[in-house]
PDB file of all heavy atoms in Angstrom:
ATOM      1  N   GLN T 525     249.040 -75.969 -10.154  1.00 98.00           N
ATOM      2  CA  GLN T 525     250.166 -76.095 -11.092  1.00 98.00           C
ATOM      3  C   GLN T 525     249.735 -75.535 -12.457  1.00 98.00           C
ATOM      4  O   GLN T 525     248.699 -75.945 -13.001  1.00 98.00           O
ATOM      5  CB  GLN T 525     250.594 -77.559 -11.251  1.00 98.00           C
ATOM      6  CG  GLN T 525     251.866 -77.671 -12.076  1.00 98.00           C
ATOM      7  CD  GLN T 525     252.409 -79.094 -12.127  1.00 98.00           C
ATOM      8  OE1 GLN T 525     251.640 -80.047 -12.135  1.00 98.00           O
ATOM      9  NE2 GLN T 525     253.726 -79.217 -12.190  1.00 98.00           N
ATOM     10  N   GLU T 539     246.042 -76.827 -12.632  1.00 98.00           N
ATOM     11  CA  GLU T 539     245.453 -78.041 -12.050  1.00 98.00           C
ATOM     12  C   GLU T 539     245.479 -77.881 -10.537  1.00 98.00           C
ATOM     13  O   GLU T 539     246.515 -77.521  -9.953  1.00 98.00           O
ATOM     14  CB  GLU T 539     246.239 -79.294 -12.444  1.00 98.00           C
ATOM     15  CG  GLU T 539     245.598 -80.548 -11.840  1.00 98.00           C
ATOM     16  CD  GLU T 539     246.346 -81.855 -12.149  1.00 98.00           C
ATOM     17  OE1 GLU T 539     247.428 -81.793 -12.779  1.00 98.00           O
ATOM     18  OE2 GLU T 539     245.845 -82.916 -11.737  1.00 98.00           O
ATOM     19  N   ARG T 543     246.693 -81.092  -0.827  1.00 97.00           N
ATOM     20  CA  ARG T 543     247.726 -81.467   0.147  1.00 97.00           C
ATOM     21  C   ARG T 543     247.097 -81.453   1.527  1.00 97.00           C
ATOM     22  O   ARG T 543     246.182 -80.674   1.795  1.00 97.00           O
ATOM     23  CB  ARG T 543     248.883 -80.438   0.141  1.00 97.00           C
ATOM     24  CG  ARG T 543     249.982 -80.729  -0.857  1.00 97.00           C
ATOM     25  CD  ARG T 543     249.765 -79.937  -2.129  1.00 97.00           C
ATOM     26  NE  ARG T 543     250.731 -80.233  -3.184  1.00 97.00           N
ATOM     27  CZ  ARG T 543     250.579 -81.160  -4.118  1.00 97.00           C
ATOM     28  NH1 ARG T 543     249.520 -81.936  -4.136  1.00 97.00           N
ATOM     29  NH2 ARG T 543     251.492 -81.328  -5.059  1.00 97.00           N
ATOM     30  N   ASP T 660     242.565 -88.308 -17.548  1.00 90.00           N
ATOM     31  CA  ASP T 660     243.843 -88.275 -16.836  1.00 90.00           C
ATOM     32  C   ASP T 660     244.635 -89.571 -17.084  1.00 90.00           C
ATOM     33  O   ASP T 660     244.044 -90.608 -17.374  1.00 90.00           O
ATOM     34  CB  ASP T 660     243.550 -88.132 -15.330  1.00 90.00           C
ATOM     35  CG  ASP T 660     244.695 -87.461 -14.601  1.00 90.00           C
ATOM     36  OD1 ASP T 660     245.715 -87.150 -15.250  1.00 90.00           O
ATOM     37  OD2 ASP T 660     244.564 -87.254 -13.377  1.00 90.00           O
ATOM     38  N   LYS T 681     245.180 -86.211 -21.130  1.00 94.00           N
ATOM     39  CA  LYS T 681     246.406 -85.885 -20.399  1.00 94.00           C
ATOM     40  C   LYS T 681     247.361 -87.063 -20.567  1.00 94.00           C
ATOM     41  O   LYS T 681     247.078 -88.173 -20.065  1.00 94.00           O
ATOM     42  CB  LYS T 681     246.118 -85.666 -18.916  1.00 94.00           C
ATOM     43  CG  LYS T 681     245.433 -84.343 -18.638  1.00 94.00           C
ATOM     44  CD  LYS T 681     245.486 -83.983 -17.157  1.00 94.00           C
ATOM     45  CE  LYS T 681     246.743 -83.207 -16.829  1.00 94.00           C
ATOM     46  NZ  LYS T 681     246.752 -82.743 -15.419  1.00 94.00           N
ATOM     47  N   GLN T 684     252.521 -89.032 -17.252  1.00 93.00           N
ATOM     48  CA  GLN T 684     253.909 -88.572 -17.138  1.00 93.00           C
ATOM     49  C   GLN T 684     254.927 -89.701 -17.263  1.00 93.00           C
ATOM     50  O   GLN T 684     256.092 -89.449 -17.565  1.00 93.00           O
ATOM     51  CB  GLN T 684     254.138 -87.762 -15.872  1.00 93.00           C
ATOM     52  CG  GLN T 684     253.663 -88.356 -14.602  1.00 93.00           C
ATOM     53  CD  GLN T 684     253.935 -87.405 -13.424  1.00 93.00           C
ATOM     54  OE1 GLN T 684     255.058 -87.280 -12.980  1.00 93.00           O
ATOM     55  NE2 GLN T 684     252.885 -86.739 -12.952  1.00 93.00           N
ATOM     56  N   GLU T 717     251.793 -84.193 -19.181  1.00 95.00           N
ATOM     57  CA  GLU T 717     252.080 -83.846 -17.778  1.00 95.00           C
ATOM     58  C   GLU T 717     253.455 -84.379 -17.398  1.00 95.00           C
ATOM     59  O   GLU T 717     253.980 -85.291 -18.057  1.00 95.00           O
ATOM     60  CB  GLU T 717     250.986 -84.377 -16.853  1.00 95.00           C
ATOM     61  CG  GLU T 717     250.849 -85.868 -16.862  1.00 95.00           C
ATOM     62  CD  GLU T 717     249.717 -86.363 -15.962  1.00 95.00           C
ATOM     63  OE1 GLU T 717     248.874 -85.569 -15.545  1.00 95.00           O
ATOM     64  OE2 GLU T 717     249.701 -87.577 -15.700  1.00 95.00           O
ATOM     65  N   GLU T 720     259.618 -81.945 -17.575  1.00 97.00           N
ATOM     66  CA  GLU T 720     260.663 -81.433 -16.679  1.00 97.00           C
ATOM     67  C   GLU T 720     261.812 -80.766 -17.428  1.00 97.00           C
ATOM     68  O   GLU T 720     262.600 -80.050 -16.814  1.00 97.00           O
ATOM     69  CB  GLU T 720     261.205 -82.582 -15.823  1.00 97.00           C
ATOM     70  CG  GLU T 720     260.170 -83.128 -14.852  1.00 97.00           C
ATOM     71  CD  GLU T 720     260.732 -84.176 -13.899  1.00 97.00           C
ATOM     72  OE1 GLU T 720     261.858 -84.640 -14.111  1.00 97.00           O
ATOM     73  OE2 GLU T 720     260.017 -84.524 -12.947  1.00 97.00           O
ATOM     74  N   TYR T 739     257.317 -79.522 -13.908  1.00 97.00           N
ATOM     75  CA  TYR T 739     258.257 -78.745 -13.101  1.00 97.00           C
ATOM     76  C   TYR T 739     259.101 -77.791 -13.966  1.00 97.00           C
ATOM     77  O   TYR T 739     259.628 -76.801 -13.480  1.00 97.00           O
ATOM     78  CB  TYR T 739     259.203 -79.691 -12.342  1.00 97.00           C
ATOM     79  CG  TYR T 739     258.528 -80.571 -11.295  1.00 97.00           C
ATOM     80  CD1 TYR T 739     259.225 -81.619 -10.696  1.00 97.00           C
ATOM     81  CD2 TYR T 739     257.219 -80.341 -10.901  1.00 97.00           C
ATOM     82  CE1 TYR T 739     258.633 -82.435  -9.736  1.00 97.00           C
ATOM     83  CE2 TYR T 739     256.604 -81.149  -9.956  1.00 97.00           C
ATOM     84  CZ  TYR T 739     257.311 -82.197  -9.373  1.00 97.00           C
ATOM     85  OH  TYR T 739     256.722 -82.995  -8.434  1.00 97.00           O
TER      86      TYR T 739
HETATM   87  N1  LIG K   1     240.717 -87.317  -6.221  1.00 82.11           N
HETATM   88  C1  LIG K   1     241.680 -86.403  -6.110  1.00 82.11           C
HETATM   89  N2  LIG K   1     242.945 -86.761  -6.430  1.00 82.11           N
HETATM   90  C2  LIG K   1     243.888 -85.834  -6.315  1.00 82.11           C
HETATM   91  C3  LIG K   1     243.622 -84.555  -5.871  1.00 82.11           C
HETATM   92  N3  LIG K   1     244.789 -83.884  -5.860  1.00 82.11           N
HETATM   93  C4  LIG K   1     245.719 -84.708  -6.277  1.00 82.11           C
HETATM   94  N4  LIG K   1     245.200 -85.895  -6.560  1.00 82.11           N
HETATM   95  C5  LIG K   1     245.838 -87.116  -7.063  1.00 82.11           C
HETATM   96  O1  LIG K   1     247.056 -87.265  -6.497  1.00 82.11           O
HETATM   97  C6  LIG K   1     248.013 -87.540  -7.487  1.00 82.11           C
HETATM   98  C7  LIG K   1     249.342 -87.009  -7.105  1.00 82.11           C
HETATM   99  O2  LIG K   1     249.259 -85.605  -6.996  1.00 82.11           O
HETATM  100  P1  LIG K   1     250.549 -84.774  -6.680  1.00 82.11           P
HETATM  101  O3  LIG K   1     251.371 -85.453  -5.696  1.00 82.11           O
HETATM  102  O4  LIG K   1     250.077 -83.412  -6.441  1.00 82.11           O
HETATM  103  O5  LIG K   1     251.299 -84.885  -8.039  1.00 82.11           O
HETATM  104  C8  LIG K   1     250.899 -84.085  -9.139  1.00 82.11           C
HETATM  105  C9  LIG K   1     252.023 -83.187  -9.485  1.00 82.11           C
HETATM  106  O6  LIG K   1     252.655 -82.644  -8.391  1.00 82.11           O
HETATM  107  C10 LIG K   1     252.930 -84.111 -10.248  1.00 82.11           C
HETATM  108  N5  LIG K   1     253.761 -83.428 -11.194  1.00 82.11           N
HETATM  109  C11 LIG K   1     253.493 -82.320 -11.932  1.00 82.11           C
HETATM  110  N6  LIG K   1     254.547 -81.992 -12.718  1.00 82.11           N
HETATM  111  C12 LIG K   1     255.520 -82.902 -12.468  1.00 82.11           C
HETATM  112  C13 LIG K   1     256.801 -83.110 -12.956  1.00 82.11           C
HETATM  113  O7  LIG K   1     257.321 -82.379 -13.811  1.00 82.11           O
HETATM  114  N7  LIG K   1     257.506 -84.147 -12.469  1.00 82.11           N
HETATM  115  C14 LIG K   1     256.971 -84.980 -11.521  1.00 82.11           C
HETATM  116  N8  LIG K   1     257.724 -85.997 -11.094  1.00 82.11           N
HETATM  117  N9  LIG K   1     255.765 -84.796 -11.033  1.00 82.11           N
HETATM  118  C15 LIG K   1     255.023 -83.796 -11.485  1.00 82.11           C
HETATM  119  O8  LIG K   1     252.053 -84.927 -10.983  1.00 82.11           O
HETATM  120  C16 LIG K   1     250.790 -85.007 -10.322  1.00 82.11           C
HETATM  121  C17 LIG K   1     249.738 -84.486 -11.241  1.00 82.11           C
HETATM  122  O9  LIG K   1     249.221 -85.617 -11.808  1.00 82.11           O
HETATM  123  P2  LIG K   1     247.873 -85.627 -12.602  1.00 82.11           P
HETATM  124  O10 LIG K   1     246.724 -85.428 -11.634  1.00 82.11           O
HETATM  125  O11 LIG K   1     247.823 -87.004 -13.191  1.00 82.11           O
HETATM  126  O12 LIG K   1     247.931 -84.553 -13.588  1.00 82.11           O
HETATM  127  C18 LIG K   1     247.453 -86.936  -8.748  1.00 82.11           C
HETATM  128  O13 LIG K   1     247.919 -87.621  -9.888  1.00 82.11           O
HETATM  129  C19 LIG K   1     246.000 -87.019  -8.550  1.00 82.11           C
HETATM  130  O14 LIG K   1     245.539 -88.213  -9.135  1.00 82.11           O
HETATM  131  C20 LIG K   1     242.274 -84.208  -5.537  1.00 82.11           C
HETATM  132  O15 LIG K   1     241.952 -83.080  -5.146  1.00 82.11           O
HETATM  133  N10 LIG K   1     241.357 -85.166  -5.672  1.00 82.11           N
END
Side-chain angles (χ1 to χ4, degrees):
Q525 187 174 34
E539 181 182 4
R543 272 97 184 91
D660 207 358
K681 286 195 89 175
Q684 50 181 285
E717 62 182 15
E720 294 186 349
Y739 295 169

